[in-house]
Amino acid sequence: MLTQEKFDLFDWLNHHLLSCPFKAYFGVDCPGCGLQRSVLALLKGNLFDSFNFYPATIPLVILIIFTAVHLKLDFRLGALLIKLMFMGIAVIILINYIYKIYNHQLIN
């Protein structure tokens, strides 16, 4: 029998997240803060937690998958749809950042 603890990849990743240079330098969250925790929650299957950490994660994943499929199949309006999705995600990120500013959630 092995007495060693089972290696948990998610626990290891949770303790080895990259630090934000913007936050380290200026002391406030950047518009991308929360993305790593959101992706980790999404990989665990926690859609609600993923959305709470960073609302743009799920649309970003959809955009990446759609872009990969578009590059393979070359949809007629694929490039336009990618641009529209990108602008929509940028709006989500902007609204989320304004929400954090309004609710004083930038400094942790």
Side-chain angles (χ1 to χ4, degrees):
M1 286 188 127
L2 294 174
T3 57
Q4 190 177 15
E5 288 185 30
K6 180 181 145 192
F7 177 72
D8 186 11
L9 178 64
F10 295 120
D11 186 48
W12 184 85
L13 285 172
N14 198 29
H15 289 91
H16 292 86
L17 295 174
L18 299 173
S19 62
C20 176
F22 187 89
K23 186 171 184 174
Y25 189 72
F26 295 109
V28 295
D29 287 354
C30 73
C33 280
L35 179 64
Q36 291 180 89
R37 290 176 289 154
S38 178
V39 169
L40 193 58
L42 189 60
L43 289 173
K44 289 180 182 178
N46 300 331
L47 296 176
F48 184 74
D49 289 343
S50 176
F51 182 80
N52 281 337
F53 285 132
Y54 197 72
T57 302
I58 296 171
L60 276 170
V61 169
I62 293 169
L63 175 65
I64 291 168
I65 292 170
F66 180 79
T67 301
V69 172
H70 169 66
L71 289 173
K72 184 71 175 169
L73 301 178
D74 194 25
F75 300 123
R76 187 170 57 97
L77 296 175
L80 177 64
L81 190 53
I82 290 169
K83 290 174 189 173
L84 291 174
M85 289 171 64
F86 185 80
M87 286 188 286
I89 291 169
V91 168
I92 292 170
I93 293 169
L94 181 65
I95 289 171
N96 181 50
Y97 199 65
I98 291 170
Y99 176 81
K100 283 182 171 183
I101 291 170
Y102 183 74
N103 288 313
H104 308 287
Q105 296 177 353
L106 291 182
I107 301 173
N108 293 331

